[in-house]
Amino acid sequence: MAGLAAYGTTLYIGTVATGTAVANVTNISGPGMSTETIDLTAHDSASAYREMAPTFISAGELTLDLNYDPDETTHGTSAGGLIYLWENRTRQQFSLEFPDGTATTKWNFYAYVTGFEPGAPYDDKLTASATLMIDGAITWAGS
């Protein structure tokens, strides 16, 4: 098979086993994982090519697009909702679960909600975009 359908990918506030699935997610982007590097090139380097070394790893950010529902607990201002987590600057555990045929792959991490932006076009649905900044490492589980 050349690829897998993304349908069914779920972000949980908390763990898959004990958390709550964020409702009405239409798109998940990220996390944008990266590694910083430092330049080790010196005048006596063996060639004219730069010599690099990896340093810190960043798990990056994850962005969610939502069909926004102000009354939806996982979107709102009540305890545990995305706006609540943003406003209270709460470090929260999240789990991202990917459907991959016969098994599931889970990425578990802690993050801060660093952005929440609603959209209300006059001729379309309410939407929102939420940004999660991952704090620390991602743990991988599953296939």
Side-chain angles (χ1 to χ4, degrees), residues 41-114:
T41 311
H43 288 291
D44 59 353
S45 291
S47 68
Y49 287 95
R50 290 197 179 275
E51 298 171 358
M52 308 301 284
T55 60
F56 294 106
I57 296 172
S58 173
E61 292 182 340
L62 185 133
T63 302
L64 305 172
D65 294 327
L66 309 165
N67 289 332
Y68 178 46
D69 179 353
D71 293 329
E72 169 54 49
T73 304
T74 59
H75 296 182
T77 58
S78 58
L82 293 169
I83 295 174
Y84 174 89
L85 295 171
W86 164 77
E87 185 174 37
N88 289 280
R89 297 171 286 190
T90 303
R91 183 177 185 262
Q92 175 65 50
Q93 184 173 16
F94 291 88
S95 292
L96 184 60
E97 184 177 50
F98 297 98
D100 30 334
T102 59
T104 55
T105 298
K106 297 171 190 71
W107 293 9
N108 303 300
F109 55 90
Y110 284 86
Y112 293 95
V113 178
T114 57

Side-chain angles (χ1 to χ4, degrees), residues 6-13 20-29 62-69 72 74-75 82 96 125 128 130:
Y7 177 76
T9 301
T10 306
L11 180 72
Y12 293 87
I13 299 173
T20 303
V22 177
N24 302 319
V25 176
T26 60
N27 189 47
I28 301 170
S29 297
L62 185 133
T63 302
L64 305 172
D65 294 327
L66 309 165
N67 289 332
Y68 178 46
D69 179 353
E72 169 54 49
T74 59
H75 296 182
L82 293 169
L96 184 60
K125 63 188 175 191

Side-chain angles (χ1 to χ4, degrees), residues 66 68 116-121 124-129:
L66 309 165
Y68 178 46
F116 192 91
E117 182 176 351
D124 205 352
K125 63 188 175 191
L126 286 174
T127 62
S129 178

